[in-house]
Amino acid sequence: MLNIVIFGAPGSGKGTQSEKIIEKYGLFHISTGDVLRAEIKNGTELGQIADRYISKGQLVPDELIVDMLAGVLDRNEETKKGVIFDGFPRTIPQAEALKKMLAERDTEVSAVIGLEVEEEELVDRLLKRGQVSGRSDDNLETIKSRLEVYHRQTTPLKDFYIQEQKYRKIHGSGSVDAIFDSIAEEIDNL
Ligand code: AMP
């Protein structure tokens, strides 16, 4: 059973590459950002709280995210066939919670695919996406705070997963298909 974490800064291509990974490997996709945006759209209590953090480019508190993720795993039988985690974990406590949740389900993270892209390119891509996404956080000011939050709170996870020998570095610039080929090579070698 494959459980893949797709890891990288905002704009590194996690969503795009997740779609291709699902197509080839048939994994269940969990994007915490997508789940939160659905909560906001449905006007739930979680959505109302999350909206305040997302619109400022800050992370939603760990307990809320971890509970939300556990709910998605419990509600969806298909997750037992393997999952691609997109946008989660984003902090060390989330990574520890994920390890525990998967161990309780007799499984573990198979690999962390780290998409590495230059900062300037990230900003360019996010600004371009902002012209069509309608997302409240794809504007220059919020993009800057999301990247700052990424460096401060999320990059320590790279060392966490290097220590666990799960981190696979992928050069995330170039054509979508060429990047996907490098990812598939890593997955096929697991
Ligand atoms: P994304 O769609 O992955 O770029 O996420 C958009 C926003 O949702 C982030 O900037 C955070 O505010 C929030 N978010 C998504 N995933 C998480 C997470 N794992 N932990 C905390 N906040 C998250």
Side-chain angles (χ1 to χ4, degrees):
M1 171 179 172
L2 281 175
N3 290 304
I4 305 286
V5 171
I6 186 131
F7 180 82
S12 58
K14 299 188 294 294
T16 306
Q17 294 297 336
S18 290
E19 281 173 25
K20 295 184 73 73
I21 295 171
I22 294 155
E23 213 176 284
K24 176 155 182 180
Y25 298 94
L27 303 177
F28 187 88
H29 185 209
I30 305 181
S31 154
T32 42
D34 284 351
V35 178
L36 290 168
R37 282 184 288 276
E39 296 278 340
I40 294 173
K41 203 168 153 216
N42 294 331
T44 65
E45 200 184 334
L46 171 60
Q48 286 171 20
I49 300 169
D51 195 19
R52 297 202 284 270
Y53 293 92
I54 293 179
S55 58
K56 286 191 221 131
Q58 292 168 0
L59 295 185
V60 176
D62 288 335
E63 318 81 74
L64 294 179
I65 293 286
V66 169
D67 284 353
M68 180 180 90
L69 191 92
V72 177
L73 289 176
D74 288 340
R75 278 195 306 276
N76 294 282
E77 275 290 308
E78 310 97 284
T79 57
K80 295 196 174 124
K81 286 189 263 160
V83 175
I84 175 146
F85 295 95
D86 165 5
F88 179 91
R90 263 174 152 103
T91 63
I92 298 279
Q94 289 182 19
E96 278 162 353
L98 179 62
K99 193 171 176 176
K100 190 159 166 260
M101 272 189 276
L102 292 180
E104 282 163 6
R105 290 166 176 81
D106 292 321
T107 185
E108 61 174 358
V109 168
S110 319
V112 175
I113 301 291
L115 295 172
E116 302 199 1
V117 178
E118 295 288 317
E119 186 101 355
E120 229 173 274
E121 189 171 343
L122 294 171
V123 177
D124 271 3
R125 287 185 188 180
L126 289 166
L127 284 174
K128 274 205 194 97
R129 186 174 76 186
Q131 291 168 2
V132 289
S133 70
R135 278 178 54 161
S136 65
D137 55 353
D138 282 342
N139 59 77
L140 190 56
E141 195 191 345
T142 317
I143 288 168
K144 285 200 171 139
S145 65
R146 286 161 67 200
L147 288 171
E148 196 267 318
V149 163
Y150 174 75
H151 289 304
R152 188 161 34 88
Q153 293 179 270
T154 306
T155 49
L157 282 179
K158 179 174 167 178
D159 282 338
F160 178 95
Y161 284 118
I162 287 174
Q163 272 183 12
E164 299 224 326
Q165 299 183 327
K166 295 189 192 280
Y167 190 82
R168 306 284 187 277
K169 175 180 167 168
I170 300 286
H171 184 58
S173 294
S175 83
V176 169
D177 287 339
I179 297 166
F180 180 65
D181 288 345
S182 321
I183 295 176
E185 201 179 313
E186 290 292 349
I187 296 179
D188 290 338
N189 280 329
L190 288 174

